[in-house]
Amino acid sequence: MGKTRVARTGNEAMAEAIRQINPDVVAAYPITPATEVMQIFATYVADGLVDTELVPTESEHSAMSAAIGSQVAGARTMTATSSQGLALMYEMLYIAAGLRLPLIMAEVNRALSAPINIHCDHSDTMGGRDAGWIQIFSENSQEAYDNLIQAVRIAEHKDVLLPIMVTTDGFIISHAMEAMEIYDDKDVRGFIGTYKPLLPALDHRNPITVGAIDFVDYYFEHRRAVAQAMINAKDVILEVGREFGRKFGQEYGFYEAYKLDDAEVAMVCLGSTAGTGKDAIDNLRKRGIKAGLLKIRVFRPFPAEELAARLRCVPQICVLDRSDALAATGGPLFAELLAAMYEDRSEHKIINRIYGLGGRDIKVGEIEELLSAQVSAAAGGKSIDRIAYLGVRE
Amino acid sequence: MSNLKQLATRRAPLCGGHRACAGCSAPNVVRQVLMASADPVVVGSATGCLEVTTTIFPYSAWNVPFVHSAFENAGASVSGIEAAYKSLKKQGKIADEKINFVAFGGDGGTYDIGFQSLSGAMERGHNLLYVCYDNGAYMNTGIQRSSATPRGAMTTTSPVGKVVQGKQQQRKDLTACMVAHEIPYVAQTTPAHWRDLNAKAEYAFSIDGPKFMNVLAPCRLGWGFPMELTMEMCRLAADTCFWPLYEVVDGRYKLTYTPREKKPIEDFLKLQTRFRHLFRPENEHVIAEIQQEVDRKWERLQKLCKL
Ligand SMILES: Cc1ncc(C[n+]2csc(CCOP(=O)(O)OP(=O)(O)O)c2C)c(N)n1
């Protein structure tokens, strides 16, 4: 097992993973901040470092359509996009899942228009949360790289066969240089294995019809099977995360808990904010506040029971959403966590802060202030809003 | 070119028992195109009448691999299939054999919503044949006008009202748009001219690169003619020069059929209820204008064929 310590941006780390995966086909279209992933990868194609057929389509809708065609044909296929690009793919996202195709996407989180904005938030990825795609968030370049490698095994597992997107935070991760470890090509390739398509459309001796029309007599059963695949994905994600740990040293699960065991207050978040949050937690602890953090790695399937169990003993919880569901009830992560905690029947005070839209920075001090205010409100101090916006001029 | 006897021995790529209307020409187009391939084929299709009538789960009328994913993406979808084939073949992951890739789309899925996807696929140079079966409207959703609908035609979104009667615009010349892509092969034909269609499809399959065929596909429901007249409608379309049969090989135009006697456009229009209102006295000028437009385009095409 060889490892090399390198400095890589999130986009470089993802491009490196794609090179090592060596997909049969990649279909993509440029959009900031994901563009660079494909630019880097195109140089690998041009230099003959991969066997990939690169299909540089005329739109993201066509990129996803070509990717679907390719995967149906029997090829391991990948793509990358952000924001408006993912939005333009929306129709095809559902189709990829409904056709049970283990497509793999590098998604670099970026705000949705209007106003047009190229910076990070999670509204693009959240827009696809009910599309039947597995969604994994990354805190940094290392995780982006590790997650993409695991994505192949998860998506292609016979009990799953669902498309998967691995996300990083636009610019914050995608364009920031970090120290990380990359593994030897042969180890990565050994881990992911070769792709054995179940029913490739290119097998003309055994012709299949893909994308048939279902009426009321079959549609529901086919969608139920998709739902089951997503349920099955939970075990597979854990199994692959453990095996990855055995092979490469870092094990992965549904979430990462940071100083949570004795926490009286915990923040819950996705992606790069966890890095900022950990600093805030350390500072709060120095000040005598028992703060902790729960970083959710897997958003789809949503590990409701596991999250609820992990947070059971934390009385004060603050959910940080980097997107707004515009539902007048807070952000999407908040809504789902709330539902999970309700089922758990434990006594909590859960608040929600929507932050960081369009790349607005979130600072260590803001998190500290927020969590300490929540603790003091719980102790009978000034009351605190249940749902509010953090860092916006109102 | 294969003769009828040879063609008759090939296994039908699309079998009977599908749910297309009696008199629908789309299945004829599909069979004639695919039977021109001596090599295996993989078919992609846009959403539309063809796809919904042939793939009602758990049944399928297709004896060849058939892939449908959405309405506006047949070009992109088959691009992906072809890219997969190239990659897997190059890597030795599949047998080294020739497969022909064919995309079918209706006029809505080709002229309109799928235009960009088609254009992209042609520009990227994928080795595939795109066949538009042009029935002149969105038939699957109930006869709405498309950019292929001829001037004057009544559809459910270009109805005959008190002040506006039928479609006001000329149809888009998609075949010309495809010629402008400077791809190796573009052709126009009908299933009634089966030798012509067969020869064109055989030629298309014999060359590398992107190919496009625009095939007239009369729809008896949307056009309003007796179902036994489907092929007659094709012949009238060609004989009135409403739908000339020609091909463009590497930019060179060639007429593949010249009517012995060019018939007046009324002969084509009068058999179809979608044009019935044009025969009212106040609409006579519309027929005259349609005739002028047909003549203008026919003359231009003849000139292009002499270049
Ligand atoms: C994005 C999208 N818009 C609209 C539709 C609805 N729709 C399905 S088939 C169809 C018409 C197809 O017309 P055409 O391509 O001309 O083929 P035809 O049905 O006439 O054979 C439409 C509008 C759809 N399936 N997808």
Side-chain angles (χ1 to χ4, degrees):
Chain A
M1 247 297 306
K3 289 185 187 181
T4 316
R5 202 155 173 80
V6 295
R8 290 281 187 277
T9 66
N11 280 350
E12 288 167 353
M14 283 182 137
E16 176 67 4
I18 302 174
R19 183 191 65 72
Q20 294 186 313
I21 293 165
N22 191 18
D24 300 311
V25 173
V26 165
Y29 188 84
I31 182 164
T32 306
T35 312
E36 202 187 18
V37 177
M38 277 311 131
Q39 277 176 202
I40 300 167
F41 187 73
T43 67
Y44 300 154
V45 175
D47 290 338
L49 301 180
V50 286
D51 299 308
T52 310
E53 272 297 313
L54 182 61
V55 187
T57 53
E58 81 299 329
S59 75
E60 286 90 351
H61 192 285
S62 283
M64 186 45 63
S65 298
I68 287 171
S70 163
Q71 193 84 43
V72 166
R76 186 182 265 162
T77 309
M78 296 184 73
T79 187
T81 195
S82 290
S83 182
Q84 306 307 120
L86 188 67
L88 192 57
M89 288 179 180
Y90 179 76
E91 180 195 27
M92 303 313 299
L93 295 181
Y94 282 73
I95 293 172
L99 295 178
R100 307 293 303 275
L101 303 174
L103 282 170
I104 303 151
M105 180 196 293
E107 215 293 314
V108 184
N109 292 304
R110 164 183 157 182
L112 286 174
S113 301
I116 188 168
N117 172 295
I118 59 167
H119 293 283
C120 172
D121 71 36
H122 297 159
S123 19
D124 52 356
T125 296
M126 287 300 163
R129 70 184 187 269
D130 295 341
W133 283 63
I134 294 167
Q135 297 182 318
I136 299 188
F137 284 76
S138 321
E139 183 187 326
N140 49 42
S141 295
Q142 183 75 58
E143 288 191 7
Y145 172 75
D146 292 353
N147 284 337
L148 261 186
I149 294 168
Q150 291 170 72
V152 181
R153 287 282 303 278
I154 297 165
E156 292 174 5
H157 193 285
K158 65 171 176 31
D159 297 338
V160 180
L161 291 173
L162 284 180
I164 184 165
M165 60 178 85
V166 170
T167 82
T168 63
D169 284 351
F171 292 104
I172 302 166
I173 310 286
S174 67
H175 287 64
M177 187 74 81
E178 284 181 297
M180 61 171 288
E181 279 173 343
I182 56 171
Y183 319 119
D184 289 353
D185 287 3
K186 68 168 180 4
D187 295 322
V188 172
R189 294 197 179 145
F191 183 79
I192 62 171
T194 48
Y195 176 50
K196 291 180 205 74
L198 214 55
L199 293 165
L202 285 178
D203 182 4
H204 56 84
R205 283 176 194 86
N206 300 293
I208 55 162
T209 291
V210 181
I213 182 169
D214 278 5
F215 291 140
V216 289
D217 51 353
Y218 280 100
Y219 181 85
F220 204 172
E221 281 70 25
H222 285 147
R223 294 308 299 185
R224 177 65 184 84
V226 180
Q228 191 58 44
M230 191 58 90
I231 295 166
N232 297 347
K234 285 182 70 177
D235 282 346
V236 174
I237 289 166
L238 293 179
E239 199 180 294
V240 171
R242 276 193 297 269
E243 194 185 320
F244 188 86
R246 283 196 298 276
K247 180 138 185 173
F248 298 107
Q250 176 64 54
E251 186 175 321
Y252 284 87
F254 293 136
Y255 57 79
E256 180 196 338
Y258 184 73
K259 301 194 176 171
L260 204 57
D261 289 342
D262 63 342
E264 55 182 325
V265 63
M267 64 174 273
V268 179
C269 68
L270 296 160
S272 63
T273 302
T276 314
K278 287 171 190 169
D279 269 1
I281 301 305
D282 290 347
N283 293 344
L284 286 165
R285 291 225 165 221
K286 274 181 218 144
R287 284 163 51 190
I289 297 173
K290 284 191 201 152
L293 178 149
L294 187 81
K295 173 184 81 184
I296 298 178
R297 172 181 177 246
V298 179
F299 188 72
R300 282 291 180 268
F302 192 70
E305 276 170 40
E306 293 79 359
L307 296 175
R310 194 63 186 84
L311 288 166
R312 188 164 296 144
C313 303
V314 187
Q316 299 292 322
I317 296 167
C318 176
V319 181
L320 288 172
D321 264 295
R322 201 164 199 146
S323 66
D324 192 347
L326 301 177
T329 54
L333 184 56
F334 177 62
E336 302 217 3
L337 198 75
L338 213 55
M341 301 303 284
Y342 176 81
E343 273 301 304
D344 195 56
R345 304 272 168 199
S346 24
E347 288 289 313
H348 301 277
K349 171 87 181 161
I350 309 178
I351 66 166
N352 186 209
R353 289 295 174 273
I354 291 167
Y355 76 99
L357 300 193
R360 177 71 48 87
D361 211 6
I362 182 166
K363 301 193 180 68
V364 176
E366 285 173 311
I367 298 175
E368 279 180 53
E369 208 174 294
L370 176 62
L371 298 191
S372 57
Q374 189 176 1
V375 170
S376 85
K382 218 170 90 203
S383 74
I384 186 164
D385 286 338
R386 185 157 166 269
I387 300 169
Y389 292 82
L390 179 68
V392 68
R393 296 187 293 272
E394 299 197 69
Chain B
M1 199 195 124
S2 309
N3 60 35
L4 199 52
K5 225 169 162 182
Q6 288 165 320
L7 290 178
T9 61
R10 294 206 181 138
R11 186 172 183 224
L14 179 69
C15 68
H18 56 68
R19 318 273 181 95
C21 304
C24 176
S25 59
N28 299 87
V29 173
V30 168
R31 282 203 196 98
Q32 291 187 25
V33 168
L34 297 182
M35 287 171 84
S37 173
D39 296 305
V41 293
V42 174
V43 173
S45 170
T47 309
C49 284
L50 173 67
E51 164 267 329
V52 302
T53 57
T54 55
T55 68
I56 299 174
F57 192 88
Y59 304 104
S60 172
W62 295 88
N63 286 323
V64 295
F66 175 87
V67 180
H68 157 258
S69 67
F71 183 25
E72 65 280 58
N73 67 354
S77 171
V78 180
S79 293
I81 298 173
E82 187 260 359
Y85 163 77
K86 256 171 92 177
S87 177
L88 297 177
K89 196 165 102 162
K90 175 179 76 187
Q91 298 177 67
K93 290 181 178 174
I94 54 168
D96 183 9
E97 59 182 346
K98 185 172 189 286
I99 298 181
N100 289 320
F101 298 94
V102 187
F104 288 104
D107 49 285
T110 308
Y111 285 65
D112 289 347
I113 199 168
F115 187 55
Q116 171 186 316
S117 164
L118 166 65
S119 177
M122 297 289 114
E123 182 275 330
R124 288 190 300 273
H126 294 279
N127 190 17
L128 61 87
L129 168 63
Y130 192 109
V131 178
C132 176
Y133 66 98
D134 181 349
N135 55 26
Y138 300 131
M139 297 309 181
N140 186 50
T141 36
I143 323 169
Q144 291 81 32
R145 61 95 78 188
S146 77
S147 62
T149 304
R151 165 130 193 245
M154 175 186 70
T155 70
T156 54
T157 50
S158 59
V160 175
K162 291 202 176 76
V163 286
V164 185
Q165 307 205 327
K167 189 182 166 190
Q168 300 296 296
Q169 300 80 14
Q170 298 290 353
R171 55 195 306 287
K172 183 193 282 181
D173 189 345
L174 181 68
T175 311
C177 297
M178 289 300 108
V179 174
H181 281 65
E182 304 201 335
I183 53 177
Y185 190 65
V186 178
Q188 194 167 284
T189 186
T190 91
H193 304 80
W194 66 268
R195 280 172 191 282
D196 185 82
L197 195 162
N198 180 256
K200 285 172 176 167
E202 276 193 4
Y203 179 75
F205 290 132
S206 76
I207 57 166
D208 269 348
K211 284 89 56 174
F212 177 81
M213 284 173 63
N214 206 357
V215 186
L216 189 72
C219 166
R220 65 135 184 131
L221 210 63
W223 295 17
F225 59 81
M227 63 177 145
E228 63 278 11
L229 290 190
T230 303
M231 294 300 151
E232 181 59 17
M233 297 313 305
C234 291
R235 282 188 284 269
L236 283 168
D239 288 343
T240 55
C241 299
F242 168 81
W243 191 267
L245 311 193
Y246 67 101
E247 61 186 5
V248 185
V249 181
D250 293 324
R252 276 228 154 74
Y253 281 77
K254 189 181 153 208
L255 268 183
T256 56
Y257 173 76
T258 313
R260 218 164 292 153
E261 174 205 354
K262 181 164 170 281
K263 293 188 169 154
I265 193 67
E266 281 98 329
D267 288 9
F268 176 61
L269 304 180
K270 72 183 177 206
L271 291 176
Q272 307 176 46
T273 55
R274 63 175 173 160
F275 295 117
R276 192 162 48 195
H277 55 284
L278 297 184
F279 290 90
R280 293 178 196 159
E282 69 270 26
N283 283 332
E284 263 168 19
H285 70 283
V286 181
I287 296 187
E289 284 159 24
I290 294 172
Q291 183 67 64
Q292 275 169 18
E293 183 63 12
V294 167
D295 294 347
R296 184 184 69 79
K297 296 200 76 165
W298 174 239
E299 269 160 41
R300 195 185 61 182
L301 181 62
Q302 284 175 303
K303 276 191 200 131
L304 288 168
C305 291
K306 287 192 187 106
L307 286 180

